[in-house]
Amino acid sequence: MPTYARKDVTFVSGDGVWLISDKQEEYLDALAGIAVCGLGHAHPDVSNAIADQAATLTHTSNIYRIGLQEELGQKLCELSGMEKVFFGNSGAEANEAAIKLARLHGHYKNISEPAIIVMENSFHGRTMATLTATGNRKAHAGFEPLVPGFVRAAYNDVESVENILQNNTNISAILVEPIQGEGGIRLPESDYLPKLKSLCEKHEILLMLDEVQTGNGRTGKWFCFQHTTIHPDVLVTAKGLGNGMPIGACLAKGHAATLFAPGSHGSTFGGNALACRASLSTLNTIEKNKLLTNATDIGSYIVKELQKKLSENTLVKEVRGKGLMIGIEMKVPCSQLVDNCLDNKLLINVTAEKVIRLLPPLIFNKANADSMIEILTKCINELSTAHA
Ligand SMILES: *Cc1c(COP(=O)(O)O)cnc(C)c1O
Protein backbone atom coordinates (compact mmCIF):
# COMPACT_ATOMS: atom_id res chain seq x y z
CA MET A 1 0.00 0.00 0.00
CA PRO A 2 1.32 3.46 -0.77
CA THR A 3 2.04 4.49 2.83
CA TYR A 4 5.53 5.79 2.02
CA ALA A 5 6.76 8.45 -0.39
CA ARG A 6 9.78 6.38 -1.36
CA LYS A 7 13.00 7.63 -2.91
CA ASP A 8 13.81 5.91 -6.19
CA VAL A 9 16.88 4.07 -4.95
CA THR A 10 17.34 0.44 -3.94
CA PHE A 11 20.11 -0.74 -1.67
CA VAL A 12 21.27 -4.29 -2.10
CA SER A 13 24.08 -4.53 0.43
CA GLY A 14 25.76 -2.64 3.20
CA ASP A 15 29.15 -2.37 4.82
CA GLY A 16 29.51 -0.32 7.99
CA VAL A 17 28.59 3.30 7.27
CA TRP A 18 28.13 2.53 3.55
CA LEU A 19 25.12 1.33 1.57
CA ILE A 20 25.55 -0.04 -1.96
CA SER A 21 22.77 0.43 -4.52
CA ASP A 22 21.67 -1.96 -7.26
CA LYS A 23 23.66 0.32 -9.59
CA GLN A 24 26.76 -0.49 -7.54
CA GLU A 25 26.98 3.06 -6.21
CA GLU A 26 28.14 3.73 -2.64
CA TYR A 27 26.18 6.02 -0.33
CA LEU A 28 27.36 7.40 3.01
CA ASP A 29 24.65 6.61 5.54
CA ALA A 30 24.04 9.45 8.01
CA LEU A 31 20.59 8.14 8.95
CA ALA A 32 21.21 4.49 9.92
CA GLY A 33 17.70 3.37 8.97
CA ILE A 34 16.34 6.12 11.26
CA ALA A 35 18.50 5.45 14.33
CA VAL A 36 18.31 1.68 13.93
CA CYS A 37 21.67 0.43 12.66
CA GLY A 38 23.94 1.92 15.31
CA LEU A 39 26.66 -0.56 14.42
CA GLY A 40 26.26 0.22 10.74
CA HIS A 41 25.30 -2.35 8.14
CA ALA A 42 26.26 -6.02 8.12
CA HIS A 43 28.33 -5.69 11.29
CA PRO A 44 30.20 -9.03 11.50
CA ASP A 45 29.46 -9.55 15.24
CA VAL A 46 25.71 -9.15 14.76
CA SER A 47 25.60 -10.93 11.39
CA ASN A 48 27.43 -13.92 12.82
CA ALA A 49 25.24 -13.98 15.92
CA ILE A 50 22.08 -13.93 13.77
CA ALA A 51 23.38 -16.61 11.41
CA ASP A 52 24.45 -18.84 14.30
CA GLN A 53 21.14 -18.39 16.12
CA ALA A 54 19.11 -18.95 12.95
CA ALA A 55 20.89 -22.27 12.54
CA THR A 56 20.21 -23.18 16.19
CA LEU A 57 16.76 -21.93 17.21
CA THR A 58 14.76 -18.89 16.12
CA HIS A 59 11.44 -19.11 17.89
CA THR A 60 9.70 -21.19 20.50
CA SER A 61 6.99 -19.34 22.40
CA ASN A 62 6.56 -17.22 25.49
CA ILE A 63 4.74 -20.28 26.84
CA TYR A 64 8.27 -21.54 27.65
CA ARG A 65 11.34 -20.01 29.25
CA ILE A 66 13.63 -18.33 26.72
CA GLY A 67 17.23 -18.19 27.94
CA LEU A 68 18.34 -15.45 25.56
CA GLN A 69 15.33 -13.29 26.52
CA GLU A 70 16.24 -13.65 30.20
CA GLU A 71 19.83 -12.76 29.39
CA LEU A 72 18.82 -9.69 27.36
CA GLY A 73 16.36 -8.59 30.06
CA GLN A 74 19.13 -8.84 32.63
CA LYS A 75 21.54 -6.88 30.43
CA LEU A 76 19.03 -4.10 29.72
CA CYS A 77 18.23 -3.78 33.42
CA GLU A 78 21.94 -3.52 34.25
CA LEU A 79 22.48 -0.84 31.61
CA SER A 80 19.39 1.18 32.50
CA GLY A 81 18.91 0.59 36.23
CA MET A 82 15.36 -0.64 35.55
CA GLU A 83 13.96 -3.85 37.09
CA LYS A 84 11.59 -5.67 34.72
CA VAL A 85 11.19 -5.88 30.95
CA PHE A 86 8.42 -6.73 28.50
CA PHE A 87 9.55 -7.46 24.93
CA GLY A 88 7.62 -6.62 21.77
CA ASN A 89 8.63 -6.09 18.16
CA SER A 90 8.60 -2.34 17.61
CA GLY A 91 8.58 1.05 19.24
CA ALA A 92 4.83 1.39 18.95
CA GLU A 93 4.29 -1.99 20.55
CA ALA A 94 6.64 -1.14 23.41
CA ASN A 95 4.73 2.13 23.93
CA GLU A 96 1.46 0.19 23.94
CA ALA A 97 2.80 -1.80 26.88
CA ALA A 98 3.68 1.46 28.67
CA ILE A 99 0.19 2.86 27.99
CA LYS A 100 -1.35 -0.30 29.44
CA LEU A 101 0.85 0.05 32.54
CA ALA A 102 -0.39 3.63 32.93
CA ARG A 103 -4.00 2.43 32.74
CA LEU A 104 -3.32 -0.28 35.34
CA HIS A 105 -1.64 2.25 37.60
CA GLY A 106 -4.65 4.55 37.26
CA HIS A 107 -7.11 1.83 38.19
CA TYR A 108 -4.85 0.81 41.07
CA LYS A 109 -5.29 4.39 42.30
CA ASN A 110 -9.09 4.00 41.88
CA ILE A 111 -9.25 6.41 38.96
CA SER A 112 -12.11 5.10 36.83
CA GLU A 113 -11.00 6.79 33.58
CA PRO A 114 -7.24 7.32 33.85
CA ALA A 115 -5.47 9.64 31.42
CA ILE A 116 -1.88 10.12 30.30
CA ILE A 117 -0.24 13.50 29.75
CA VAL A 118 1.46 13.57 26.32
CA MET A 119 3.25 16.40 24.54
CA GLU A 120 2.76 18.62 21.53
CA ASN A 121 4.95 17.61 18.55
CA SER A 122 5.64 14.22 20.10
CA PHE A 123 5.90 10.97 18.18
CA HIS A 124 5.05 7.60 19.73
CA GLY A 125 4.04 5.36 16.82
CA ARG A 126 1.21 4.50 14.44
CA THR A 127 -1.04 2.08 16.29
CA MET A 128 -4.34 3.63 17.42
CA ALA A 129 -3.19 4.38 20.98
CA THR A 130 0.33 5.53 20.08
CA LEU A 131 -1.09 7.56 17.19
CA THR A 132 -3.40 9.27 19.65
CA ALA A 133 -0.46 9.91 21.98
CA THR A 134 1.43 11.44 19.05
CA GLY A 135 1.19 15.25 19.00
CA ASN A 136 0.70 15.76 15.29
CA ARG A 137 -2.74 16.52 13.88
CA LYS A 138 -1.74 15.42 10.38
CA ALA A 139 -1.00 11.94 11.73
CA HIS A 140 -4.46 11.86 13.35
CA ALA A 141 -6.38 13.03 10.29
CA GLY A 142 -8.80 10.45 8.97
CA PHE A 143 -8.34 8.02 11.81
CA GLU A 144 -10.89 9.39 14.25
CA PRO A 145 -12.30 8.34 16.63
CA LEU A 146 -9.02 8.42 18.52
CA VAL A 147 -8.40 6.56 21.77
CA PRO A 148 -9.65 8.36 24.90
CA GLY A 149 -7.43 9.01 27.90
CA PHE A 150 -4.77 11.38 26.60
CA VAL A 151 -4.28 15.02 27.62
CA ARG A 152 -1.82 17.25 25.78
CA ALA A 153 0.80 19.56 27.30
CA ALA A 154 3.39 21.81 25.67
CA TYR A 155 6.86 20.24 25.38
CA ASN A 156 9.67 21.59 27.55
CA ASP A 157 7.07 23.45 29.60
CA VAL A 158 6.75 22.22 33.19
CA GLU A 159 4.06 24.77 33.99
CA SER A 160 1.81 23.38 31.28
CA VAL A 161 2.04 19.95 32.95
CA GLU A 162 1.45 21.48 36.40
CA ASN A 163 -1.69 23.19 35.14
CA ILE A 164 -3.09 19.92 33.86
CA LEU A 165 -2.28 18.15 37.13
CA GLN A 166 -4.02 20.92 39.10
CA ASN A 167 -7.21 20.63 37.06
CA ASN A 168 -7.39 16.89 36.36
CA THR A 169 -7.49 14.31 39.13
CA ASN A 170 -7.54 11.43 36.63
CA ILE A 171 -3.93 11.61 35.41
CA SER A 172 -1.95 8.42 35.99
CA ALA A 173 1.21 9.01 33.94
CA ILE A 174 3.30 11.34 31.81
CA LEU A 175 4.67 9.96 28.53
CA VAL A 176 7.49 12.03 27.08
CA GLU A 177 10.55 11.82 24.81
CA PRO A 178 13.77 13.06 26.51
CA ILE A 179 14.61 14.63 23.12
CA GLN A 180 11.90 14.92 20.50
CA GLY A 181 13.10 13.10 17.38
CA GLU A 182 10.39 13.28 14.70
CA GLY A 183 9.32 16.58 16.27
CA GLY A 184 12.59 18.17 15.10
CA ILE A 185 15.48 17.15 17.41
CA ARG A 186 14.13 19.35 20.17
CA LEU A 187 16.24 19.31 23.32
CA PRO A 188 14.44 20.39 26.48
CA GLU A 189 16.08 22.34 29.31
CA SER A 190 18.43 20.15 31.34
CA ASP A 191 16.14 20.38 34.40
CA TYR A 192 13.01 19.38 32.45
CA LEU A 193 13.07 15.66 33.25
CA PRO A 194 14.05 16.18 36.92
CA LYS A 195 11.15 18.62 37.31
CA LEU A 196 8.72 16.22 35.66
CA LYS A 197 10.04 13.49 37.94
CA SER A 198 9.33 15.49 41.09
CA LEU A 199 5.82 16.29 39.83
CA CYS A 200 5.28 12.57 39.24
CA GLU A 201 6.46 11.76 42.77
CA LYS A 202 4.24 14.45 44.26
CA HIS A 203 1.14 13.20 42.41
CA GLU A 204 2.07 9.50 42.57
CA ILE A 205 1.91 9.10 38.80
CA LEU A 206 4.30 7.33 36.45
CA LEU A 207 7.08 9.06 34.53
CA MET A 208 7.27 7.11 31.25
CA LEU A 209 10.11 7.95 28.89
CA ASP A 210 9.87 7.10 25.20
CA GLU A 211 13.50 6.35 24.33
CA VAL A 212 12.69 4.48 21.15
CA GLN A 213 14.93 6.88 19.23
CA THR A 214 17.21 8.30 21.97
CA GLY A 215 18.07 4.90 23.49
CA ASN A 216 20.83 2.36 22.95
CA GLY A 217 23.74 4.78 22.86
CA ARG A 218 22.34 7.30 20.41
CA THR A 219 22.96 10.37 22.63
CA GLY A 220 26.25 9.14 24.10
CA LYS A 221 24.69 7.36 27.09
CA TRP A 222 22.87 4.05 26.98
CA PHE A 223 19.66 5.98 27.59
CA CYS A 224 19.18 9.72 27.33
CA PHE A 225 17.75 10.07 30.86
CA GLN A 226 21.21 9.02 32.10
CA HIS A 227 22.42 12.54 31.30
CA THR A 228 20.38 13.43 34.42
CA THR A 229 20.31 11.85 37.89
CA ILE A 230 16.65 10.81 37.80
CA HIS A 231 15.09 7.46 36.96
CA PRO A 232 11.85 6.97 35.07
CA ASP A 233 9.18 4.53 36.26
CA VAL A 234 8.78 3.21 32.74
CA LEU A 235 11.34 3.27 29.93
CA VAL A 236 10.47 2.39 26.34
CA THR A 237 13.01 1.57 23.66
CA ALA A 238 13.27 -0.13 20.27
CA LYS A 239 14.96 1.25 17.11
CA GLY A 240 18.68 0.76 17.83
CA LEU A 241 18.21 -2.22 20.14
CA GLY A 242 18.56 -4.96 17.54
CA ASN A 243 20.67 -3.18 14.89
CA GLY A 244 17.88 -3.90 12.38
CA MET A 245 16.33 -7.01 13.92
CA PRO A 246 12.78 -5.96 14.93
CA ILE A 247 12.57 -5.71 18.72
CA GLY A 248 11.10 -3.32 21.27
CA ALA A 249 11.25 -3.27 25.03
CA CYS A 250 9.19 -1.70 27.80
CA LEU A 251 11.13 -1.55 31.05
CA ALA A 252 9.71 -0.71 34.46
CA LYS A 253 10.93 -0.01 37.97
CA GLY A 254 9.32 0.07 41.40
CA HIS A 255 5.52 -0.13 41.56
CA ALA A 256 5.25 0.02 37.74
CA ALA A 257 7.26 -3.21 37.54
CA THR A 258 4.60 -5.05 39.59
CA LEU A 259 1.53 -4.12 37.52
CA PHE A 260 1.51 -6.81 34.82
CA ALA A 261 0.53 -10.34 35.82
CA PRO A 262 0.30 -13.55 33.75
CA GLY A 263 -2.34 -12.96 31.07
CA SER A 264 -2.40 -9.16 31.25
CA HIS A 265 -0.17 -8.62 28.21
CA GLY A 266 1.60 -10.63 25.55
CA SER A 267 3.14 -10.89 22.10
CA THR A 268 3.68 -14.00 19.99
CA PHE A 269 7.02 -12.93 18.51
CA GLY A 270 8.06 -10.61 21.36
CA GLY A 271 11.49 -11.46 22.74
CA ASN A 272 12.08 -14.55 20.64
CA ALA A 273 15.50 -16.18 20.59
CA LEU A 274 16.62 -14.71 17.27
CA ALA A 275 15.73 -11.09 18.10
CA CYS A 276 17.22 -11.36 21.59
CA ARG A 277 20.46 -12.88 20.30
CA ALA A 278 20.82 -10.02 17.81
CA SER A 279 20.16 -7.46 20.54
CA LEU A 280 22.59 -9.02 22.99
CA SER A 281 25.23 -8.97 20.30
CA THR A 282 24.38 -5.33 19.48
CA LEU A 283 24.63 -4.15 23.10
CA ASN A 284 27.81 -6.14 23.77
CA THR A 285 29.46 -4.76 20.63
CA ILE A 286 28.50 -1.18 21.49
CA GLU A 287 30.07 -1.77 24.92
CA LYS A 288 33.19 -3.59 23.66
CA ASN A 289 33.97 -0.94 21.05
CA LYS A 290 33.31 2.00 23.44
CA LEU A 291 30.79 3.48 21.05
CA LEU A 292 29.09 5.65 23.68
CA THR A 293 32.31 7.63 23.92
CA ASN A 294 32.59 7.69 20.14
CA ALA A 295 29.01 8.97 19.81
CA THR A 296 29.76 11.73 22.32
CA ASP A 297 33.06 12.77 20.71
CA ILE A 298 32.06 12.55 17.04
CA GLY A 299 28.68 14.10 17.82
CA SER A 300 30.13 17.18 19.46
CA TYR A 301 32.73 17.43 16.68
CA ILE A 302 29.96 17.40 14.05
CA VAL A 303 27.87 20.01 15.87
CA LYS A 304 30.88 22.32 16.34
CA GLU A 305 32.02 21.96 12.73
CA LEU A 306 28.53 22.55 11.35
CA GLN A 307 28.05 25.58 13.59
CA LYS A 308 31.34 26.98 12.33
CA LYS A 309 30.81 26.17 8.66
CA LEU A 310 27.19 27.37 8.59
CA SER A 311 27.63 30.44 10.79
CA GLU A 312 27.39 32.85 7.85
CA ASN A 313 24.41 31.12 6.28
CA THR A 314 21.37 33.27 7.05
CA LEU A 315 18.91 30.45 6.30
CA VAL A 316 20.27 28.33 9.15
CA LYS A 317 18.49 28.96 12.43
CA GLU A 318 20.34 26.57 14.75
CA VAL A 319 22.59 23.51 14.86
CA ARG A 320 21.95 21.37 17.93
CA GLY A 321 22.19 17.84 19.20
CA LYS A 322 23.32 15.34 21.77
CA GLY A 323 25.69 12.56 20.80
CA LEU A 324 24.83 11.38 17.32
CA MET A 325 21.30 12.78 17.37
CA ILE A 326 21.76 16.05 15.52
CA GLY A 327 19.42 18.61 14.02
CA ILE A 328 19.99 21.63 11.79
CA GLU A 329 16.95 23.87 11.98
CA MET A 330 16.43 25.98 8.88
CA LYS A 331 14.25 29.09 8.61
CA VAL A 332 12.48 27.65 5.57
CA PRO A 333 11.07 24.24 4.59
CA CYS A 334 13.99 22.21 3.30
CA SER A 335 12.81 18.69 2.45
CA GLN A 336 14.41 18.99 -1.01
CA LEU A 337 17.79 18.71 0.73
CA VAL A 338 17.11 15.00 1.13
CA ASP A 339 17.13 14.64 -2.68
CA ASN A 340 20.07 16.99 -3.11
CA CYS A 341 22.13 14.99 -0.63
CA LEU A 342 20.97 11.73 -2.23
CA ASP A 343 22.30 13.01 -5.57
CA ASN A 344 25.60 13.53 -3.75
CA LYS A 345 25.49 9.99 -2.32
CA LEU A 346 24.67 11.04 1.22
CA LEU A 347 21.65 9.77 3.17
CA ILE A 348 20.02 12.24 5.56
CA ASN A 349 16.47 13.06 6.65
CA VAL A 350 14.36 16.17 7.09
CA THR A 351 11.71 16.17 9.80
CA ALA A 352 9.19 18.72 11.01
CA GLU A 353 9.56 20.39 7.57
CA LYS A 354 12.49 22.59 8.53
CA VAL A 355 14.87 20.38 10.49
CA ILE A 356 17.66 18.39 8.87
CA ARG A 357 17.99 15.25 10.96
CA LEU A 358 21.30 13.42 11.24
CA LEU A 359 21.36 10.02 12.93
CA PRO A 360 24.59 8.45 11.72
CA PRO A 361 25.71 5.01 12.95
CA LEU A 362 27.52 5.07 16.30
CA ILE A 363 30.61 3.76 14.48
CA PHE A 364 30.94 7.01 12.47
CA ASN A 365 34.56 8.20 12.49
CA LYS A 366 36.07 11.63 11.91
CA ALA A 367 36.67 10.98 8.20
CA ASN A 368 33.02 9.92 7.77
CA ALA A 369 31.94 13.03 9.68
CA ASP A 370 34.09 15.27 7.46
CA SER A 371 32.65 13.75 4.26
CA MET A 372 29.13 14.19 5.57
CA ILE A 373 29.77 17.79 6.64
CA GLU A 374 31.30 18.67 3.27
CA ILE A 375 28.36 17.36 1.22
CA LEU A 376 25.82 18.75 3.65
CA THR A 377 27.25 22.27 3.79
CA LYS A 378 27.55 22.30 -0.01
CA CYS A 379 23.86 21.32 -0.40
CA ILE A 380 22.68 23.76 2.28
CA ASN A 381 24.65 26.61 0.70
CA GLU A 382 23.21 25.76 -2.72
CA LEU A 383 19.73 25.85 -1.26
CA SER A 384 20.47 29.27 0.24
CA THR A 385 21.75 30.59 -3.08
CA ALA A 386 18.57 29.34 -4.76
CA HIS A 387 16.53 31.15 -2.10
CA ALA A 388 18.39 34.47 -2.42
C1 LIG B 1 10.21 5.59 15.79
C2 LIG B 1 9.59 5.97 17.08
C3 LIG B 1 8.48 5.27 17.58
C4 LIG B 1 7.76 4.20 16.80
O1 LIG B 1 8.56 3.08 16.61
P1 LIG B 1 8.08 1.96 15.55
O2 LIG B 1 9.13 0.89 15.71
O3 LIG B 1 8.07 2.60 14.21
O4 LIG B 1 6.74 1.51 15.96
C5 LIG B 1 8.00 5.63 18.83
N1 LIG B 1 8.57 6.61 19.55
C6 LIG B 1 9.63 7.30 19.09
C7 LIG B 1 10.23 8.38 19.94
C8 LIG B 1 10.18 7.02 17.84
O5 LIG B 1 11.21 7.72 17.39
Side-chain angles (χ1 to χ4, degrees):
M1 295 187 193
T3 51
Y4 306 99
R6 296 181 196 274
K7 300 296 164 199
D8 188 20
V9 59
T10 305
F11 299 111
V12 292
S13 65
D15 182 9
V17 303
W18 303 98
L19 278 169
I20 296 104
S21 76
D22 54 0
K23 300 192 175 73
Q24 298 308 313
E25 291 177 314
E26 279 195 0
Y27 289 73
L28 178 61
D29 188 0
L31 191 58
I34 316 187
V36 169
C37 301
L39 295 173
H41 302 284
H43 191 285
D45 288 6
V46 183
S47 300
N48 291 335
I50 292 172
D52 181 61
Q53 193 59 41
T56 308
L57 185 66
T58 55
H59 179 88
T60 52
S61 166
N62 281 305
I63 290 172
Y64 313 107
R65 285 184 68 165
I66 301 169
L68 286 161
Q69 186 186 118
E70 292 175 18
E71 209 182 314
L72 178 61
Q74 190 72 39
K75 181 82 188 172
L76 277 172
C77 287
E78 278 165 22
L79 297 179
S80 65
M82 304 301 280
E83 291 166 357
K84 296 278 179 189
V85 193
F86 174 83
F87 288 105
N89 309 288
S90 66
E93 202 183 335
N95 273 324
E96 288 277 348
I99 291 165
K100 287 178 77 171
L101 287 177
R103 290 273 174 98
L104 287 175
H105 182 66
H107 293 302
Y108 167 84
K109 290 186 33 156
N110 290 319
I111 301 169
S112 60
E113 301 209 355
I116 302 171
I117 297 178
V118 290
M119 305 303 158
E120 284 165 12
N121 296 310
S122 62
F123 184 80
H124 298 294
R126 300 291 201 155
T127 61
M128 282 310 304
T130 59
L131 169 72
T132 305
T134 293
N136 176 348
R137 279 195 194 85
K138 275 193 210 155
H140 294 166
F143 299 109
E144 301 84 359
L146 301 176
V147 177
F150 293 93
V151 182
R152 196 142 331 260
Y155 189 62
N156 191 22
D157 184 342
V158 179
E159 221 175 280
S160 147
V161 171
E162 270 175 331
N163 284 339
I164 293 172
L165 287 169
Q166 260 159 26
N167 297 314
N168 302 41
T169 51
N170 62 337
I171 304 297
S172 69
I174 299 173
L175 175 62
V176 59
E177 296 157 89
I179 296 174
Q180 287 188 330
E182 303 296 310
I185 315 289
R186 291 171 191 240
L187 290 86
E189 301 296 327
S190 58
D191 61 357
Y192 182 55
L193 291 186
K195 283 184 171 166
L196 290 184
K197 173 71 180 182
S198 33
L199 279 178
C200 285
E201 281 174 350
K202 182 174 154 202
H203 293 268
E204 296 181 322
I205 64 175
L206 305 179
L207 179 62
M208 312 201 298
L209 298 184
D210 181 346
E211 294 229 29
V212 171
Q213 193 162 151
T214 52
N216 309 294
R218 177 55 44 191
T219 71
K221 301 271 187 191
W222 283 109
F223 294 96
C224 191
F225 78 83
Q226 292 168 324
H227 291 284
T228 75
T229 56
I230 63 117
H231 256 280
D233 300 288
V234 176
L235 172 67
V236 175
T237 195
K239 288 193 167 88
L241 182 54
N243 210 55
M245 187 61 77
I247 185 166
C250 174
L251 296 92
K253 188 178 166 69
H255 176 65
T258 67
L259 290 166
F260 279 152
S264 49
H265 199 39
S267 166
T268 297
F269 294 130
N272 81 12
L274 187 62
C276 289
R277 179 77 185 272
S279 295
L280 272 168
S281 166
T282 301
L283 296 176
N284 287 331
T285 306
I286 291 173
E287 201 164 41
K288 184 181 77 184
N289 296 342
K290 302 195 166 50
L291 294 179
L292 301 188
T293 310
N294 190 62
T296 304
D297 295 349
I298 299 291
S300 58
Y301 172 74
I302 291 171
V303 169
K304 274 195 208 110
E305 285 297 297
L306 285 172
Q307 282 171 343
K308 207 161 53 189
K309 295 215 155 77
L310 294 169
S311 63
E312 315 254 278
N313 189 312
T314 52
L315 276 193
V316 175
K317 194 169 166 196
E318 190 186 27
V319 182
R320 56 180 178 252
K322 214 173 196 101
L324 285 170
M325 186 164 183
I326 298 165
I328 307 170
E329 182 166 349
M330 305 291 289
K331 291 176 186 161
V332 295
C334 62
S335 59
Q336 76 181 79
L337 278 171
V338 174
D339 289 332
N340 301 345
C341 286
L342 191 69
D343 291 340
N344 287 275
K345 308 286 178 285
L346 172 69
L347 305 181
I348 60 151
N349 175 249
V350 167
T351 189
E353 289 181 348
K354 294 179 186 170
V355 183
I356 302 163
R357 178 167 54 161
L358 306 172
L359 299 164
L362 308 181
I363 57 169
F364 233 50
N365 64 27
K366 201 159 164 291
N368 302 143
D370 286 333
S371 309
M372 176 190 77
I373 290 163
E374 194 190 318
I375 300 171
L376 200 54
T377 48
K378 179 176 95 98
C379 291
I380 293 173
N381 288 332
E382 281 169 7
L383 179 83
S384 305
T385 313
H387 248 272

